[in-house]
Amino acid sequence: MHSKSVLAALLAPAAVSAQLNDLAVRAGLKYFGTALREGAINSDAQYAAILGDKREFGQLVPENGQKWESTEPTRGQFTYTQGDITTNTAKKNGQGVRCHTLVWYSQLPSWVRDGSWTKATLTEVMETHINNVMGHYIGQCYAWDVVNEAVGDDGNWRPNVFLSTFGTDYIPLSFNLAKKADPNTKLYYNDYNLEYNGAKTDRTVELVKLVQAAGAPIDGVGFQGHLIVGSTPSRSNLATTLRRFTALGVEVAYTELDIRHSSLPASSSAQVTQANDFANVVGSCLDVAGCVGVTVWSFTDKYSWIPETFPGQGDALIYDKNFNKKAAWTSISSVLAAKATGVPPVSSTSTSTSTSTSTLTTITTTRVPSSTVTSTRTTSAAPSSTSSASGAEQTRWGQCGGRYWTGPTKCQSPWTCQVQHEWYSQCL
Ligand code: XIL
């Protein structure tokens, strides 16, 4: 290489992108991740391309492939075809993996669920399952959800075959077995509705203490984050709830985030509320030392478990069914960028009734100053939109500017290009 080009390379700005995992890492998180739908990855190239871009998603979780019914549908016969889809995809793209899940009442084959067990025989079944599955994925999982959903919505221990055989002793037992099978992965308890800080959260605090008091290892608590637009707690309340767990010495993460509209189609104001709710969830993770990352439970409304589980509800994710980024994507990007750079999102100057203004107001008022980022950055938060050679115009929600953006900078009428933060302007 000529010395001149070496110099040019040294002076060039570091290759950064405004994509979610890159921003999350710059903001101090370990990753921004997504669940992988096994049935879609080989049949939908657009899905695979976005999911496989590690600048956007640094970590993958199999949506169903590692569950007991997938890995050991018949006693003693293990199959990893579905689970391996995620680990192979992650390997190919240089992404990490969260592994999910070992001891859970649901998606549990009937030979376990309906068996008649003693403590000794069920211990043997659990040990064989955990040894085989964790052994197969050893060295590949950042964390394992060892026990999933052991607490009922009313705050009582959830009835299941494990509870009826052992009482709550099955919980520390599971963590001990997991530690023996893979001593080097993080061992998590994972559940939903912990975000509301009610009776279920209280019982889960008790669960962590119970495992610790039994001398068993537990490293983390996963907040699934299956939330509802307009009913998502505030950023500071979410942070308070996360801290109840980090105070016990475990890390926390949002592990299955989606925020569903309770009726469809969503109005544009509901989309703004959704965007603010996502920003508050991600922001709360940024606010809590010990919150390591955020995973969305799939990223596109095309593939989401919500409509099949909650009929009439949905559009809970950050890309729409056609893989366009939604306002929720932008709000997450903004809250991450604000933390990553210490530069608050730039308020829109638009006087229209554009939805972005209220989104940005909320984000601006809820952000905390960053102390983590020492990277070089320009002092200006203005976008350095380079002009588009093609003269093409972006549709609503499309990107139209930002540092290093080389695509179109004009928006189709009536939308205007509005600065969200230094790396991202959007047609709104
Ligand atoms: C869901 C999957 O997304 C669906 O495809 C499947 O039919 C049911 O399970 N809590 C969990 C996840 O821990 O494993 C669940 O995933 C959603 C709720």
Side-chain angles (χ1 to χ4, degrees):
M1 203 191 263
H2 289 296
S3 57
K4 215 168 164 186
S5 43
V6 171
L7 188 64
L10 286 172
L11 293 175
V16 292
S17 79
Q19 290 175 267
L20 300 181
N21 184 61
D22 276 357
L23 286 175
V25 170
R26 288 166 63 90
L29 302 184
K30 289 191 196 298
Y31 59 86
F32 192 95
T34 181
L36 177 150
R37 178 158 286 199
E38 291 85 2
I41 188 82
N42 291 322
S43 57
D44 188 330
Q46 216 175 346
Y47 174 77
I50 298 172
L51 176 134
D53 183 348
K54 78 169 180 195
R55 296 171 302 175
E56 186 76 334
F57 300 115
Q59 193 167 85
L60 305 178
V61 189
E63 188 171 346
N64 289 299
Q66 289 177 328
K67 294 173 181 175
W68 200 316
E69 69 175 11
S70 303
T71 51
E72 194 189 7
T74 304
R75 185 169 184 175
Q77 292 182 19
F78 289 88
T79 147
Y80 300 109
T81 328
Q82 290 299 302
D84 287 356
I85 294 173
T86 297
T87 46
N88 289 339
T89 305
K91 236 176 266 164
K92 191 173 86 189
N93 299 310
Q95 296 159 303
V97 183
R98 279 195 98 254
C99 290
H100 174 79
T101 180
L102 296 166
V103 177
W104 187 26
Y105 77 94
S106 183
Q107 294 179 278
L108 184 65
S110 57
W111 70 266
V112 185
R113 194 188 55 226
D114 303 331
S116 80
W117 307 107
T118 63
K119 286 183 187 176
T121 55
L122 191 53
T123 300
E124 194 192 327
V125 162
M126 290 165 68
E127 186 166 16
T128 303
H129 183 75
I130 289 173
N131 278 343
N132 276 275
V133 178
M134 289 185 90
H136 180 78
Y137 291 108
I138 202 156
Q140 299 181 71
C141 306
Y142 165 74
W144 259 107
D145 291 329
V146 177
V147 177
N148 203 35
E149 301 179 354
V151 180
D153 293 340
D154 56 3
N156 291 315
W157 299 111
R158 188 185 285 280
N160 61 41
V161 64
F162 306 106
L163 188 74
S164 59
T165 307
F166 296 98
T168 55
D169 286 352
Y170 84 88
I171 302 169
L173 172 66
S174 302
F175 280 92
N176 278 324
L177 293 172
K179 187 73 178 179
K180 270 203 293 172
D182 180 354
N184 297 318
T185 189
K186 304 254 186 205
L187 305 177
Y188 267 64
Y189 176 72
N190 191 50
D191 212 331
Y192 64 90
N193 284 1
L194 304 182
E195 299 80 11
Y196 300 108
N197 211 2
K200 187 164 180 174
T201 315
D202 295 345
R203 184 70 74 187
T204 306
V205 167
E206 187 186 325
L207 182 151
V208 174
K209 290 180 176 167
L210 176 154
V211 174
Q212 291 172 333
I218 178 167
D219 301 303
V221 172
F223 281 55
Q224 291 183 6
H226 295 298
L227 299 167
I228 302 169
V229 172
S231 304
T232 299
S234 69
R235 177 166 170 169
S236 66
N237 285 349
L238 288 164
T240 299
T241 309
L242 294 176
R243 286 193 193 100
R244 291 187 69 186
F245 293 92
T246 56
L248 302 175
V250 295
E251 64 180 46
V252 292
Y254 288 104
T255 53
E256 305 183 10
L257 180 60
D258 50 26
I259 308 183
R260 62 187 182 267
H261 293 284
S262 42
S263 67
L264 295 171
S267 65
S268 55
S269 83
Q271 293 186 47
V272 172
T273 306
Q274 184 185 50
N276 285 328
D277 288 345
F278 268 104
N280 285 333
V281 174
V282 175
S284 72
C285 188
L286 295 175
D287 294 347
V288 175
C291 186
V292 297
V294 177
T295 304
V296 284
W297 204 238
S298 181
F299 61 91
T300 164
D301 293 335
K302 187 171 181 183
Y303 303 116
S304 165
W305 74 303
I306 295 293
E308 73 216 24
T309 312
F310 304 94
Q313 305 186 41
D315 286 0
L317 294 164
I318 59 175
Y319 284 70
D320 70 15
K321 291 189 171 66
N322 300 313
F323 299 102
N324 297 310
K325 291 169 178 164
K326 294 164 58 176
W329 187 98
T330 307
S331 67
I332 294 173
S333 158
S334 297
V335 84
L336 291 173
K339 176 83 181 209
T341 63
V343 177
V346 178
S347 294
S348 165
T349 52
S350 165
T351 52
S352 74
T353 53
S354 160
T355 56
S356 70
T357 308
S358 55
T359 306
L360 288 168
T361 303
T362 302
I363 293 162
T364 305
T365 54
T366 55
R367 69 171 283 275
V368 292
S370 164
S371 54
T372 55
V373 171
T374 53
S375 62
T376 53
R377 61 181 171 82
T378 58
T379 48
S380 162
S384 60
S385 316
T386 48
S387 61
S388 153
S390 67
E393 293 185 340
Q394 280 288 38
T395 53
R396 189 182 190 191
W397 310 120
Q399 185 169 0
C400 52
R403 285 174 67 184
Y404 313 122
W405 172 248
T406 54
T409 55
K410 293 200 172 78
C411 301
Q412 287 174 2
S413 177
W415 317 116
T416 56
C417 188
Q418 296 181 23
V419 177
Q420 302 298 310
H421 53 74
E422 63 176 318
W423 287 304
Y424 193 75
S425 300
Q426 190 183 27
C427 294
L428 295 167

mmCIF file with all atom_site columns, all heavy atoms in Angstrom, residues 384-397:
data_model
loop_
_atom_site.group_PDB
_atom_site.id
_atom_site.type_symbol
_atom_site.label_atom_id
_atom_site.label_alt_id
_atom_site.label_comp_id
_atom_site.label_asym_id
_atom_site.label_entity_id
_atom_site.label_seq_id
_atom_site.pdbx_PDB_ins_code
_atom_site.Cartn_x
_atom_site.Cartn_y
_atom_site.Cartn_z
_atom_site.occupancy
_atom_site.B_iso_or_equiv
_atom_site.pdbx_formal_charge
_atom_site.auth_seq_id
_atom_site.auth_comp_id
_atom_site.auth_asym_id
_atom_site.auth_atom_id
_atom_site.pdbx_PDB_model_num
ATOM 1   N N   . SER A 1 384 ? -24.615 14.722 8.125  1.00 0.00 ? 384 SER A N   1
ATOM 2   C CA  . SER A 1 384 ? -23.807 15.126 6.988  1.00 0.00 ? 384 SER A CA  1
ATOM 3   C C   . SER A 1 384 ? -24.323 14.375 5.773  1.00 0.00 ? 384 SER A C   1
ATOM 4   O O   . SER A 1 384 ? -23.652 13.551 5.212  1.00 0.00 ? 384 SER A O   1
ATOM 5   C CB  . SER A 1 384 ? -22.343 14.783 7.240  1.00 0.00 ? 384 SER A CB  1
ATOM 6   O OG  . SER A 1 384 ? -22.237 13.390 7.418  1.00 0.00 ? 384 SER A OG  1
ATOM 7   N N   . SER A 1 385 ? -25.546 14.619 5.459  1.00 0.00 ? 385 SER A N   1
ATOM 8   C CA  . SER A 1 385 ? -26.156 13.894 4.357  1.00 0.00 ? 385 SER A CA  1
ATOM 9   C C   . SER A 1 385 ? -25.396 14.188 3.078  1.00 0.00 ? 385 SER A C   1
ATOM 10  O O   . SER A 1 385 ? -25.235 15.330 2.711  1.00 0.00 ? 385 SER A O   1
ATOM 11  C CB  . SER A 1 385 ? -27.593 14.345 4.148  1.00 0.00 ? 385 SER A CB  1
ATOM 12  O OG  . SER A 1 385 ? -28.226 14.459 5.368  1.00 0.00 ? 385 SER A OG  1
ATOM 13  N N   . THR A 1 386 ? -24.927 13.147 2.460  1.00 0.00 ? 386 THR A N   1
ATOM 14  C CA  . THR A 1 386 ? -24.311 13.365 1.172  1.00 0.00 ? 386 THR A CA  1
ATOM 15  C C   . THR A 1 386 ? -25.417 13.298 0.130  1.00 0.00 ? 386 THR A C   1
ATOM 16  O O   . THR A 1 386 ? -26.410 12.619 0.314  1.00 0.00 ? 386 THR A O   1
ATOM 17  C CB  . THR A 1 386 ? -23.271 12.282 0.876  1.00 0.00 ? 386 THR A CB  1
ATOM 18  O OG1 . THR A 1 386 ? -23.871 11.037 1.161  1.00 0.00 ? 386 THR A OG1 1
ATOM 19  C CG2 . THR A 1 386 ? -22.031 12.472 1.716  1.00 0.00 ? 386 THR A CG2 1
ATOM 20  N N   . SER A 1 387 ? -25.204 14.006 -0.945 1.00 0.00 ? 387 SER A N   1
ATOM 21  C CA  . SER A 1 387 ? -26.309 14.066 -1.891 1.00 0.00 ? 387 SER A CA  1
ATOM 22  C C   . SER A 1 387 ? -26.441 12.759 -2.650 1.00 0.00 ? 387 SER A C   1
ATOM 23  O O   . SER A 1 387 ? -25.486 12.043 -2.869 1.00 0.00 ? 387 SER A O   1
ATOM 24  C CB  . SER A 1 387 ? -26.109 15.212 -2.855 1.00 0.00 ? 387 SER A CB  1
ATOM 25  O OG  . SER A 1 387 ? -24.913 14.985 -3.546 1.00 0.00 ? 387 SER A OG  1
ATOM 26  N N   . SER A 1 388 ? -27.619 12.465 -2.996 1.00 0.00 ? 388 SER A N   1
ATOM 27  C CA  . SER A 1 388 ? -27.886 11.215 -3.687 1.00 0.00 ? 388 SER A CA  1
ATOM 28  C C   . SER A 1 388 ? -27.745 11.413 -5.180 1.00 0.00 ? 388 SER A C   1
ATOM 29  O O   . SER A 1 388 ? -28.317 12.324 -5.748 1.00 0.00 ? 388 SER A O   1
ATOM 30  C CB  . SER A 1 388 ? -29.309 10.780 -3.358 1.00 0.00 ? 388 SER A CB  1
ATOM 31  O OG  . SER A 1 388 ? -29.811 10.010 -4.391 1.00 0.00 ? 388 SER A OG  1
ATOM 32  N N   . ALA A 1 389 ? -26.942 10.544 -5.757 1.00 0.00 ? 389 ALA A N   1
ATOM 33  C CA  . ALA A 1 389 ? -26.735 10.658 -7.191 1.00 0.00 ? 389 ALA A CA  1
ATOM 34  C C   . ALA A 1 389 ? -28.016 10.345 -7.952 1.00 0.00 ? 389 ALA A C   1
ATOM 35  O O   . ALA A 1 389 ? -28.332 10.942 -8.969 1.00 0.00 ? 389 ALA A O   1
ATOM 36  C CB  . ALA A 1 389 ? -25.626 9.716  -7.620 1.00 0.00 ? 389 ALA A CB  1
ATOM 37  N N   . SER A 1 390 ? -28.790 9.429  -7.391 1.00 0.00 ? 390 SER A N   1
ATOM 38  C CA  . SER A 1 390 ? -29.942 8.940  -8.148 1.00 0.00 ? 390 SER A CA  1
ATOM 39  C C   . SER A 1 390 ? -31.109 9.914  -8.161 1.00 0.00 ? 390 SER A C   1
ATOM 40  O O   . SER A 1 390 ? -31.947 9.868  -9.043 1.00 0.00 ? 390 SER A O   1
ATOM 41  C CB  . SER A 1 390 ? -30.419 7.628  -7.540 1.00 0.00 ? 390 SER A CB  1
ATOM 42  O OG  . SER A 1 390 ? -30.934 7.895  -6.263 1.00 0.00 ? 390 SER A OG  1
ATOM 43  N N   . GLY A 1 391 ? -31.168 10.804 -7.153 1.00 0.00 ? 391 GLY A N   1
ATOM 44  C CA  . GLY A 1 391 ? -32.316 11.685 -7.048 1.00 0.00 ? 391 GLY A CA  1
ATOM 45  C C   . GLY A 1 391 ? -33.568 10.945 -6.589 1.00 0.00 ? 391 GLY A C   1
ATOM 46  O O   . GLY A 1 391 ? -34.658 11.484 -6.629 1.00 0.00 ? 391 GLY A O   1
ATOM 47  N N   . ALA A 1 392 ? -33.387 9.716  -6.145 1.00 0.00 ? 392 ALA A N   1
ATOM 48  C CA  . ALA A 1 392 ? -34.542 8.932  -5.699 1.00 0.00 ? 392 ALA A CA  1
ATOM 49  C C   . ALA A 1 392 ? -35.131 9.538  -4.433 1.00 0.00 ? 392 ALA A C   1
ATOM 50  O O   . ALA A 1 392 ? -34.432 10.206 -3.677 1.00 0.00 ? 392 ALA A O   1
ATOM 51  C CB  . ALA A 1 392 ? -34.100 7.502  -5.426 1.00 0.00 ? 392 ALA A CB  1
ATOM 52  N N   . GLU A 1 393 ? -36.413 9.310  -4.231 1.00 0.00 ? 393 GLU A N   1
ATOM 53  C CA  . GLU A 1 393 ? -37.063 9.842  -3.040 1.00 0.00 ? 393 GLU A CA  1
ATOM 54  C C   . GLU A 1 393 ? -37.478 8.699  -2.124 1.00 0.00 ? 393 GLU A C   1
ATOM 55  O O   . GLU A 1 393 ? -37.975 7.677  -2.580 1.00 0.00 ? 393 GLU A O   1
ATOM 56  C CB  . GLU A 1 393 ? -38.289 10.671 -3.449 1.00 0.00 ? 393 GLU A CB  1
ATOM 57  C CG  . GLU A 1 393 ? -37.885 11.940 -4.191 1.00 0.00 ? 393 GLU A CG  1
ATOM 58  C CD  . GLU A 1 393 ? -39.084 12.831 -4.483 1.00 0.00 ? 393 GLU A CD  1
ATOM 59  O OE1 . GLU A 1 393 ? -40.226 12.323 -4.456 1.00 0.00 ? 393 GLU A OE1 1
ATOM 60  O OE2 . GLU A 1 393 ? -38.862 14.030 -4.733 1.00 0.00 ? 393 GLU A OE2 1
ATOM 61  N N   . GLN A 1 394 ? -37.272 8.919  -0.837 1.00 0.00 ? 394 GLN A N   1
ATOM 62  C CA  . GLN A 1 394 ? -37.633 7.902  0.144  1.00 0.00 ? 394 GLN A CA  1
ATOM 63  C C   . GLN A 1 394 ? -39.124 7.960  0.457  1.00 0.00 ? 394 GLN A C   1
ATOM 64  O O   . GLN A 1 394 ? -39.745 9.018  0.411  1.00 0.00 ? 394 GLN A O   1
ATOM 65  C CB  . GLN A 1 394 ? -36.873 8.132  1.457  1.00 0.00 ? 394 GLN A CB  1
ATOM 66  C CG  . GLN A 1 394 ? -35.456 7.635  1.452  1.00 0.00 ? 394 GLN A CG  1
ATOM 67  C CD  . GLN A 1 394 ? -35.381 6.122  1.485  1.00 0.00 ? 394 GLN A CD  1
ATOM 68  O OE1 . GLN A 1 394 ? -36.190 5.426  0.862  1.00 0.00 ? 394 GLN A OE1 1
ATOM 69  N NE2 . GLN A 1 394 ? -34.403 5.589  2.182  1.00 0.00 ? 394 GLN A NE2 1
ATOM 70  N N   . THR A 1 395 ? -39.648 6.821  0.839  1.00 0.00 ? 395 THR A N   1
ATOM 71  C CA  . THR A 1 395 ? -41.034 6.773  1.291  1.00 0.00 ? 395 THR A CA  1
ATOM 72  C C   . THR A 1 395 ? -41.093 7.146  2.773  1.00 0.00 ? 395 THR A C   1
ATOM 73  O O   . THR A 1 395 ? -40.053 7.308  3.418  1.00 0.00 ? 395 THR A O   1
ATOM 74  C CB  . THR A 1 395 ? -41.594 5.346  1.126  1.00 0.00 ? 395 THR A CB  1
ATOM 75  O OG1 . THR A 1 395 ? -40.682 4.464  1.776  1.00 0.00 ? 395 THR A OG1 1
ATOM 76  C CG2 . THR A 1 395 ? -41.708 4.980  -0.331 1.00 0.00 ? 395 THR A CG2 1
ATOM 77  N N   . ARG A 1 396 ? -42.287 7.250  3.298  1.00 0.00 ? 396 ARG A N   1
ATOM 78  C CA  . ARG A 1 396 ? -42.461 7.545  4.716  1.00 0.00 ? 396 ARG A CA  1
ATOM 79  C C   . ARG A 1 396 ? -41.678 6.538  5.571  1.00 0.00 ? 396 ARG A C   1
ATOM 80  O O   . ARG A 1 396 ? -41.669 5.344  5.253  1.00 0.00 ? 396 ARG A O   1
ATOM 81  C CB  . ARG A 1 396 ? -43.953 7.451  5.068  1.00 0.00 ? 396 ARG A CB  1
ATOM 82  C CG  . ARG A 1 396 ? -44.252 7.945  6.458  1.00 0.00 ? 396 ARG A CG  1
ATOM 83  C CD  . ARG A 1 396 ? -45.719 7.784  6.764  1.00 0.00 ? 396 ARG A CD  1
ATOM 84  N NE  . ARG A 1 396 ? -46.035 8.479  7.997  1.00 0.00 ? 396 ARG A NE  1
ATOM 85  C CZ  . ARG A 1 396 ? -47.178 8.354  8.654  1.00 0.00 ? 396 ARG A CZ  1
ATOM 86  N NH1 . ARG A 1 396 ? -48.131 7.602  8.174  1.00 0.00 ? 396 ARG A NH1 1
ATOM 87  N NH2 . ARG A 1 396 ? -47.387 9.006  9.776  1.00 0.00 ? 396 ARG A NH2 1
ATOM 88  N N   . TRP A 1 397 ? -41.050 7.003  6.627  1.00 0.00 ? 397 TRP A N   1
ATOM 89  C CA  . TRP A 1 397 ? -40.230 6.243  7.583  1.00 0.00 ? 397 TRP A CA  1
ATOM 90  C C   . TRP A 1 397 ? -38.829 5.921  7.046  1.00 0.00 ? 397 TRP A C   1
ATOM 91  O O   . TRP A 1 397 ? -37.964 5.465  7.773  1.00 0.00 ? 397 TRP A O   1
ATOM 92  C CB  . TRP A 1 397 ? -40.856 4.906  8.047  1.00 0.00 ? 397 TRP A CB  1
ATOM 93  C CG  . TRP A 1 397 ? -42.266 4.946  8.523  1.00 0.00 ? 397 TRP A CG  1
ATOM 94  C CD1 . TRP A 1 397 ? -43.321 4.259  7.981  1.00 0.00 ? 397 TRP A CD1 1
ATOM 95  C CD2 . TRP A 1 397 ? -42.810 5.659  9.635  1.00 0.00 ? 397 TRP A CD2 1
ATOM 96  N NE1 . TRP A 1 397 ? -44.462 4.504  8.671  1.00 0.00 ? 397 TRP A NE1 1
ATOM 97  C CE2 . TRP A 1 397 ? -44.190 5.365  9.700  1.00 0.00 ? 397 TRP A CE2 1
ATOM 98  C CE3 . TRP A 1 397 ? -42.270 6.517  10.578 1.00 0.00 ? 397 TRP A CE3 1
ATOM 99  C CZ2 . TRP A 1 397 ? -45.027 5.889  10.663 1.00 0.00 ? 397 TRP A CZ2 1
ATOM 100 C CZ3 . TRP A 1 397 ? -43.109 7.053  11.536 1.00 0.00 ? 397 TRP A CZ3 1
ATOM 101 C CH2 . TRP A 1 397 ? -44.469 6.747  11.572 1.00 0.00 ? 397 TRP A CH2 1
#
